[in-house]
Amino acid sequence: MWASCLADPSDFWFWLLVLGVAIVGGGWFAFRWLHIARMLEDTPTSRIRSAAQGYVELAGRCGALSGTTNLAPLTQRPCVWWQYRVQRRTGSTSRGNQRTKWQTMNSGRSEQPFLLDDGTGECIVQPAGAEVLTTETTTWYGDTPWPALAPGRRSSSGEPEFRYYEERIYEHERVHVLGHFRTHSGTGGQNREADVAALLTEWKQDQAELVRRFDADHDGQVSIEEWERAREAARDTVTRRHLAQPVPPALHVVGRPDSRQLFLIAAYPEQELARRYRRRAIFAFAGFGVATYALGWLLQGVFG
């Protein structure tokens, strides 16, 4: 390789670019994945019932929201989250020379919210923008742009042209979620001033009754002072009505943080999840080291 770099300067710049990207990418991913592993180990798991507002880690069983269904597009299997990819063969395969390349033709991922239940309460998970790790992945092949055969079955027409890839998280699977937690109060839908204004408008429709109730000086009109007493009476009536209504339960939601904090949904136990990110960091550090050594060797071979 170094001989070709000496003979052709374009090869030198090509390998310089490749190794530079490998060094920067390997170092960045190594530190990022190590940071995630340490954060998973150091962040305590909160309970939904008592979780603080803001960035939290939750764990529980997932389920579908009432009245909703979610089917994985390629397999039509019911689940709470899915991601798929359809790829087409663009290279050629010859004996002893494998040149197969796959080009993505179609892809998508679920953004439908689902429930998380940890035994103390329920929380709505909004998966849009999350990094998702699943334990269920299916890959199979076929001859059509959309799978006509179920996973595990292969066409008899020779080398398949299409590859299908699908990930899923099923209902009742245990998942870990790191994201921004917020609670919408059950009384948030009650607008006291709007209800007071509506009640006063209703009272105005019957002027005779309004005068009978609030015309203290009996002059046949409701003065400004008497109208203020009517407003106070309307406020008292609205307050009593609100207190008599059953308070709807608070709604807990976890979603993507506003900052650059990690938004993660993973169908793995916490310890296994941390180990996976540590292994990723080790491989990234190894790639960083190899690329750094190769760059030094390249520069020494060219300028030494």
Side-chain angles (χ1 to χ4, degrees), residues 55 121 181 213 215:
Y55 193 70
F181 181 86
R213 292 182 60 186
D215 182 17

Side-chain angles (χ1 to χ4, degrees), residues 9 27 41 50 57 73 75 79 128 168 205 221 246 251 269 271:
E41 294 168 342
S50 57
E57 177 182 348
T75 61
C79 56
R168 296 170 297 276
Q205 303 304 314
Q221 295 181 350
L251 182 66
Q271 295 302 318

